[in-house]
Amino acid sequence: GRAPAAPDAFETRTRGTSRAEKPFAALAARGEFTGYVALASGQEVFVSVKLGKSPEKSPPVVMLDGIAARHERNAAFEKMVKKEGLSMVSIFLPGQGETLAKDMASGGKSLRSDIEQEDQAKVVIGVLDALGIKSPVGIAGLSYGGAIAAQCEKQFPDRFSKVMVVAPYVRSQAASNPMTAFMNNPFNPFGASMYRSAVKSSLQSLFPASPEVLKSHPGSFHEGLFRLTMGLDDFDLKKTVKGMKDVHFLVVPEDGASPPEHNADAYAGASTGSFTSAPSKDAGKHDLVRGDGALVADWLANVMAGRVESRPIR
């Protein structure tokens, strides 16, 4: 007497076709959303998913924003990317925006130590697993996010097809500063604390105001910036992308935070890829996602579609 149970959404959308034909069916079936995703570790990460054309077949782009990321900054850019036909999964990492706010509400565990790039890469994979994304995807990142995007490919090469970095963090500018050597001198007992204090002070000057999403957790925004920055203090993009295929750079003229010559040197470490410079009108716009989002969205679409040729670098 009972009617057969109705198939679930995933079964309905994939019936009559193989998983190979629709590798991102689980993501398409879930649909667009903005909110927290629970990882297998129990960690909750804020994610925004926008679907483009044929989302069940076409690989999405994972987007990692700069160090001061939060969702309200990205709404306009998400629309630009969707207009290009791309699906995008924006991930707000530990120490950033809404993910940090959630963590602070339960004690602020993520800010008890520096946040290393290796751990951030694991979080990205945890989000993809939670969303049912197992096939390779593109990964893109601005500045800090560019460094983490490259790290993700290094640690999990089977999960990513292309790496796209926009004005990426290349290496610690302090590493070549004579004062750093003085402060890290083993015979200077206060060296390490002096260096960390200087970094924290600089970050507070660069980012004087806390975003609305963290207003109820005083001090957390700047502590997050500090923990993220110090976590990357031993990072070197050239070493990270060494031998890597399909690495694509979009650099900004007169970008003091990420000079084109430093990017060119890092790019030389990869095996194949492309190197594109933003037009002169964008000179000085380190935050190119907000400075010229249409350019970035168009570039991402062209790279993902193979219209930007990936050439041997050496």
Side-chain angles (χ1 to χ4, degrees):
R2 290 185 180 178
D8 63 24
F10 179 80
E11 183 182 346
T12 300
R13 296 187 186 205
T14 58
R15 180 182 289 154
T17 187
S18 70
R19 288 180 182 268
E21 292 172 328
K22 295 188 176 183
F24 306 104
L27 180 68
R30 181 163 185 164
E32 294 189 349
F33 74 94
T34 299
Y36 291 94
V37 170
L39 310 192
S41 64
Q43 194 170 15
E44 292 187 86
V45 177
F46 198 79
V47 175
S48 179
V49 174
K50 299 296 179 187
L51 300 179
K53 296 178 181 177
S54 304
E56 71 281 0
K57 297 179 181 180
S58 302
V61 172
V62 172
M63 182 67 197
L64 307 176
D65 201 356
I67 195 169
R70 62 266 190 192
H71 182 254
E72 54 91 6
R73 298 194 336 146
N74 283 34
F77 182 65
E78 287 180 337
K79 292 178 182 177
M80 293 175 190
V81 172
K82 183 172 181 175
K83 189 176 180 180
E84 294 286 346
L86 283 177
S87 295
M88 188 167 76
V89 179
S90 298
I91 302 176
F92 300 87
L93 295 165
Q96 295 182 319
E98 289 79 1
T99 298
L100 177 55
K102 188 80 168 181
D103 177 62
M104 292 303 298
S106 59
K109 182 179 179 180
S110 67
L111 299 187
R112 294 174 189 171
S113 58
D114 300 338
I115 304 175
E116 303 291 336
Q117 62 264 24
E118 293 87 356
D119 293 329
Q120 297 288 52
K122 292 175 184 177
V123 169
V124 171
I125 293 301
V127 171
L128 295 180
D129 288 346
L131 296 178
I133 300 173
K134 298 295 184 180
S135 296
V137 300
I139 186 165
L142 166 71
S143 190
Y144 173 85
I148 303 304
Q151 183 67 34
C152 286
E153 163 71 9
K154 179 181 180 180
Q155 283 180 237
F156 305 97
D158 295 339
R159 302 295 293 270
F160 303 99
S161 57
K162 297 175 187 288
V163 178
M164 295 155 282
V165 296
V166 182
Y169 178 99
V170 177
R171 60 180 180 271
S172 171
Q173 297 298 304
S176 57
N177 189 319
M179 277 301 294
T180 302
F182 168 73
M183 290 191 288
N184 288 328
N185 188 312
F187 298 103
N188 179 2
F190 304 106
S193 61
M194 288 170 61
Y195 174 57
R196 293 174 71 87
S197 295
V199 170
K200 184 173 287 190
S201 178
S202 296
L203 289 168
Q204 289 173 341
S205 297
L206 286 170
F207 302 92
S210 295
E212 191 63 36
V213 69
L214 290 167
K215 283 288 175 65
S216 58
H217 305 288
S220 62
F221 175 60
H222 290 104
E223 185 66 19
L225 294 176
F226 175 66
R227 292 299 188 179
L228 292 169
T229 299
M230 294 309 302
L232 275 189
D233 205 45
D234 62 346
F235 179 84
D236 187 315
L237 185 58
K238 185 175 184 177
K239 292 179 181 178
T240 303
V241 304
K242 185 178 181 181
M244 201 178 285
K245 295 180 179 179
D246 253 330
V247 182
H248 302 268
F249 279 64
L250 176 58
V251 304
V252 180
E254 300 175 29
D255 180 1
S258 179
E261 60 271 21
H262 290 184
N263 281 285
D265 182 58
Y267 172 68
S271 174
T272 65
S274 67
F275 194 87
T276 303
S277 183
S280 57
K281 69 180 179 66
D282 290 325
K285 297 177 183 176
H286 177 70
D287 186 354
L288 199 60
V289 169
R290 259 64 54 180
D292 195 348
L295 171 74
V296 179
D298 178 69
W299 178 74
L300 291 177
N302 285 331
V303 172
M304 289 299 292
R307 293 188 290 269
V308 175
E309 186 179 357
S310 183
R311 298 179 178 180
I313 296 171
R314 294 179 180 177

